Amino acid sequence: MNQDTPGKLSKLLAQTKKLQDTGNLAAAENALRKALEASPDSIEVLQAAARFYSCEVKDPAKAAQYASACRERSAQIIAEMDEILGRRRPPAARHIGGIIGPY
């Protein structure tokens, strides 16, 4: 991502929203595609795509694809931040022989 990309993404997402509001869904989808091409890992863009395909175009498969990608990227970012903060995730709690707890 170059230095111009955040500004470009903001403009593309604003353009997408404006076009959605005017009912020009084809042009809105085109602007959204450009934003996805510019930054396919951006949580903001993935979230916008999931909402667009869920609410505007009504394509549940695409909405689920982008929602899943957004959740995946969010989990990656959380793991990165936990590492920076020196946090380690505790092992998952398990239930063995009547005792509940991490082992």
Side-chain angles (χ1 to χ4, degrees):
M1 184 185 307
N2 63 34
Q3 289 179 322
D4 187 44
T5 303
K8 181 180 178 183
L9 288 177
S10 294
K11 287 178 185 175
L12 286 169
L13 290 175
Q15 181 183 14
T16 300
K17 179 70 173 135
K18 183 177 179 181
L19 291 165
Q20 279 178 254
D21 291 345
T22 62
N24 192 346
L25 297 182
E29 186 173 24
N30 188 42
L32 186 58
R33 280 190 190 132
K34 288 179 184 176
L36 285 162
E37 288 171 11
S39 186
D41 290 336
S42 166
I43 289 178
E44 187 177 11
V45 175
L46 292 169
Q47 184 179 26
R51 286 186 175 151
F52 180 79
Y53 288 110
S54 176
C55 301
E56 299 295 333
V57 177
K58 305 291 187 203
D59 186 336
K62 279 188 180 181
Q65 173 191 348
Y66 289 115
S68 178
C70 187
R71 287 177 54 102
E72 228 175 83
R73 183 65 185 127
S74 297
Q76 290 170 350
I77 291 172
I78 289 169
E80 290 170 11
M81 296 304 107
D82 282 349
E83 188 174 312
I84 289 170
L85 294 170
R87 296 181 184 164
R88 299 279 184 239
R89 290 196 176 229
R94 292 180 267 168
H95 180 61
I96 299 175
I99 301 172
I100 299 175
Y103 299 99

